[in-house]
Amino acid sequence: MTEEVDDLLFKRDNRTFNVRTSGLLIRDDKALLHCDIDDNGQMYFALVGGKVKFGESSISAIKREYQEELHLDVLPKRLLWVMEHQFGTPEDMWQQVNFVHLLDSPQLANLPNERFSIGRHTFEWIGLKDFPVMPIYPAIIGQSTTLPTIVQYVNDIDD
């Protein structure tokens, strides 16, 4: 994860906290997800998004992230989830607040149907019904086969 000077992020010893924004762009009951390979060589999927910057709203940040990663203009339709999320190892622990937005785009039809790459990022359309059987992070998103109708708060932090 690349850190930039204005990111809403702070570190203390082996712990990092940040504010993140993500978006779900849906087409034909499929969500566009970022795909990558983990340290064990296994493919996984994640929401497209990134860190919110100081003085920036989560809506402005998700527009910026989609423009940077996909060269795509997006229109946030509504907030789906506010997540308190934690992941990592005892040697490198991350905690974040993530605002997940439902998105639309006037350029939606221009995106390829199959897996594609832009720069260093690879993307794939994954069916919402397939989420529970796919390695999707944050894991709480992978448990959802439908989108919430009202904003939902989710928390996967072990208190």
Side-chain angles (χ1 to χ4, degrees):
M1 293 183 197
T2 307
E3 182 180 334
E4 296 178 6
V5 69
D6 285 341
D7 289 341
L8 284 177
L9 175 144
F10 70 85
K11 294 182 178 188
R12 239 187 227 129
D13 300 323
N14 63 337
R15 299 172 297 166
T16 304
F17 176 84
N18 76 314
V19 178
R20 179 175 171 79
T21 188
S22 303
L24 271 178
L25 191 58
I26 307 289
R27 181 174 75 186
D28 301 327
D29 291 324
K30 294 180 179 180
L32 186 65
L33 300 176
H34 175 254
C35 51
D36 208 345
I37 305 294
D38 67 18
D39 294 338
N40 298 319
Q42 300 297 311
M43 180 168 286
Y44 70 92
F45 300 90
L47 298 175
V48 177
K51 295 177 197 77
V52 176
K53 297 186 178 303
F54 186 79
E56 180 180 52
S57 70
S58 67
I59 290 174
S60 293
I62 197 60
K63 289 178 178 181
R64 175 181 49 77
E65 289 291 338
Y66 265 79
Q67 189 55 237
E68 289 173 0
E69 294 181 18
L70 286 139
H71 313 292
L72 191 69
D73 296 323
V74 293
L75 308 166
K77 293 172 68 174
R78 63 186 176 90
L79 187 62
L80 296 171
W81 291 283
V82 175
M83 302 175 60
E84 289 189 78
H85 177 57
Q86 187 170 305
F87 61 95
T89 65
E91 295 79 31
D92 184 28
M93 183 58 64
W94 283 74
Q95 183 172 330
Q96 59 187 221
V97 173
N98 188 0
F99 298 92
V100 183
H101 297 272
L102 178 61
L103 305 173
D104 197 359
S105 174
Q107 301 154 317
L108 191 60
N110 299 341
L111 294 171
N113 292 325
E114 304 300 321
R115 183 179 298 164
F116 64 97
S117 295
I118 298 175
R120 62 183 177 90
H121 300 288
T122 302
F123 305 93
E124 187 170 334
W125 295 99
I126 302 295
L128 294 173
K129 65 178 179 40
D130 299 322
F131 273 29
V133 297
M134 304 295 290
I136 297 175
Y137 299 104
I140 193 78
I141 297 296
Q143 297 169 7
S144 302
T145 58
T146 60
L147 300 179
T149 56
I150 60 170
V151 178
Q152 289 186 349
Y153 164 76
V154 294
N155 176 353
D156 71 357
I157 297 174
D158 296 326
D159 290 322

